[in-house]
Amino acid sequence: MFASGGRFHFLGWKDGVMSVKAVGLFSGGLDSQLAARVLQLQGVEVELLHCITDPERFEGARVEEGASRLGAPLRALDVSEEFFEVVRSPRFGYGSGMNPCLDCRILMLRKAKALMEEAGARFVFTGEVLGQRPMSQHRGALRLVERESGLDGLLLRPLSAKLLPPTTPELEGWVDREGLYDFSGRSRKPQMALAKELGISEYPSPAGGCWLTDRTFSARLRDLFGHGGCFTREQAVLLRVGRHFRLSEGVKTIVGRNRDENALLLEHREGRWVVQVMDYPGPVVLVEGEPSEEDLLRAASVAVRYSDGRDREDVRVRWERDGEEGGAEGVCPADEEELSRWRL
Ligand code: SF4
C-alpha cells in the first residue's frame, strides 16, 4: 500500500515493475475494447465494469467474450432499479428520444468510481469519443459527467485524450499522454484502423443505440407519462411489443403481431382485459386502464381489424378480465382513419 497526500493507493507489481490499476466502463463494443487495450499496452492493469440497465436484454456472452479477449476481470452490475428512476425523472433531460444519457452516464460512472475505490484502482476510463454522440459526448457533456460523478481529474478517455485537458493519470505520469489518441466525430474508421493495428479482429457491429433512443418506444413512453402511468419493468417489456393504440384518455390497447407476442401479452394479462375474436384466427389484444363499454367495443373493432374475420359481418368478440367477462356480436373492423388517430 502506498500513501500519497493522506490518500491510500493500492499498487500492484507486474514483471518487477509497479503497475497502476484502472477501472473501465465496458459495453463489449469496439471503443471500450480499444480503450482498455491501449491502457494495457502502457502497463495499466484494467478491471472492467459492465452496467446492466435492462436485465431482459443483457447480452452476457457478448460482454464476457470481449473481456476475455482482453484477459481482464469483468464485473457485471445490475443498475436497472436506479436506471428506471433516472428514466422517470432525469436531472439533465432527455436526448432525441427518451434517453436520459447524461444522467445515465453519471449513474454508471458513480458505479465505476465505487468499484475503483473498492478495487484499489487509481482512475476510471471509458471508450468515449469526443463528438461521437450528440447528447453525451460533446465537450461540455464530458466535463459535466466527470464532475457530477465525483471523478474530477480521474476520468480518462484514451481515444480522445489528446483533444481534452490532461487528466491526473497523465499529469502524474501513470499513463503516457503521447500514447493516447485524438479521435473525434462519428466516423469509426480511426477506431477500425487502430483495432487492426492492435490485433483486435473480433468486435460486435455498432449498436443502433439503446431502446430509449428508438422513436416508436419513445413515443409510447411519452404517452405513458402523459397519462399518469409509471415506467416499471413490466411497462418496459410491454412498450416494446405489439401495436399500441390509445382508445380514450385513460385506456390503451396493445395488439400482438405474432404468436410470440400473443403469448407474451397473455403472460401480462393480470389486471387487464383480454379481447379476442372468436371463430377466426386473430391477435391477443390487451386493454389497460378502466375501459367503458365503448372502449371495449373499440378494442374489439381493433381485434377484428387484425383478425382473419376482418371481411366478415358475423364476427363475435369476447373479452375477459380476472373472471369478469363480456362480448359483442357483428363487430365491424376499425377503419384506417380510426387506427391512425389511435395509433402510438
Ligand atoms: S443511449 Fe441509453 S444506455 Fe446509452 S447513455 Fe444514453 S440512456 Fe444510457
Side-chain angles (χ1 to χ4, degrees):
M1 194 160 59
F2 163 82
S4 161
R7 292 178 59 199
F8 292 98
H9 302 296
F10 290 80
L11 300 175
W13 293 85
K14 205 172 171 185
D15 301 330
V17 178
M18 200 156 29
S19 71
V20 172
K21 189 169 177 181
V23 166
L25 279 184
F26 190 68
S27 67
L30 176 59
D31 293 350
S32 55
Q33 281 194 51
L34 284 175
R37 179 58 60 83
V38 164
L39 293 181
Q40 284 176 323
L41 289 172
Q42 292 207 18
V44 175
E45 184 187 346
V46 307
E47 183 159 340
L48 305 171
L49 173 66
H50 180 82
C51 291
I52 304 168
T53 53
D54 180 4
E56 303 271 343
R57 300 177 77 210
F58 173 46
E59 296 175 70
R62 187 182 80 107
V63 177
E64 275 166 27
E65 275 166 29
S68 73
R69 276 196 290 276
L70 291 162
L74 168 73
R75 285 219 209 164
L77 184 67
D78 183 347
V79 299
S80 56
E81 282 305 324
E82 286 148 289
F83 179 68
F84 273 69
E85 193 49 52
V86 154
V87 175
R88 284 181 211 119
S89 51
R91 266 178 77 202
F92 298 103
Y94 299 106
S96 57
M98 291 296 276
N99 47 310
C101 291
L102 295 176
D103 293 83
C104 177
R105 295 302 293 174
I106 292 165
L107 167 65
M108 292 183 187
L109 287 168
R110 283 183 182 159
K111 299 295 177 191
K113 178 173 182 276
L115 179 56
M116 172 186 88
E117 286 161 357
E118 183 195 318
R122 301 179 88 175
F123 65 96
V124 168
F125 68 93
T126 70
E128 287 165 305
V129 169
L130 181 66
Q132 190 178 67
R133 290 174 190 267
M135 184 178 193
S136 59
Q137 293 181 14
H138 59 82
R139 260 174 217 283
L142 293 180
R143 178 71 194 112
L144 179 120
V145 300
E146 176 185 342
R147 196 181 61 232
E148 291 291 327
S149 59
L151 281 166
D152 248 316
L154 293 177
L155 178 53
L156 180 66
R157 282 98 172 189
L159 302 185
S160 292
K162 283 180 164 173
L163 300 174
L164 299 169
T167 57
T168 304
E170 295 155 277
L171 295 169
E172 293 285 327
W174 304 338
V175 299
D176 177 9
R177 185 171 169 91
E178 283 313 301
L180 305 178
Y181 293 85
D182 58 358
F183 299 163
S184 69
R186 303 184 74 117
S187 166
R188 290 174 56 81
K189 283 188 187 153
Q191 286 96 307
M192 288 160 87
L194 181 60
K196 202 168 171 190
E197 194 184 316
L198 300 183
I200 297 178
S201 55
E202 290 177 55
Y203 47 87
S205 47
C210 81
W211 37 290
L212 291 163
T213 60
D214 179 83
R215 270 212 343 234
T216 304
F217 184 91
S218 294
R220 293 172 179 180
L221 184 53
R222 268 190 214 103
D223 171 81
L224 180 78
F225 287 159
H227 291 87
C230 187
F231 186 48
T232 58
R233 277 170 196 269
E234 186 181 41
Q235 281 297 345
V237 172
L238 290 176
L239 292 179
R240 279 200 288 261
V241 294
R243 299 178 169 91
H244 289 226
F245 301 94
R246 180 150 296 280
L247 302 179
S248 63
E249 186 55 27
V251 177
K252 193 180 108 169
T253 190
I254 308 171
V255 183
R257 288 174 299 191
N258 53 46
R259 191 183 296 240
D260 288 348
E261 288 191 348
N262 287 341
L264 193 141
L265 290 178
L266 285 175
E267 284 173 24
H268 295 272
R269 65 187 301 166
E270 196 181 326
R272 299 180 172 94
W273 288 94
V274 177
V275 178
Q276 274 181 299
V277 167
M278 301 173 76
D279 309 322
Y280 301 101
V284 167
V285 175
L286 274 195
V287 180
E288 295 192 318
E290 287 304 327
S292 62
E293 184 78 11
E294 188 185 351
D295 291 324
L296 285 167
L297 283 169
R298 283 179 174 174
S301 73
V302 173
V304 174
R305 166 62 184 76
Y306 290 105
S307 77
D308 287 0
R310 70 178 73 88
D311 298 321
R312 308 298 209 137
E313 289 176 358
D314 58 341
V315 184
R316 295 185 301 149
V317 179
R318 179 177 170 275
W319 49 79
E320 191 262 327
R321 178 176 73 176
D322 302 334
E324 262 183 281
E325 56 185 347
E329 296 186 0
V331 180
C332 296
D335 62 35
E336 287 310 313
E337 192 276 321
E338 288 172 314
L339 289 178
S340 63
R341 190 154 32 92
W342 297 334
R343 183 177 280 117
L344 294 173

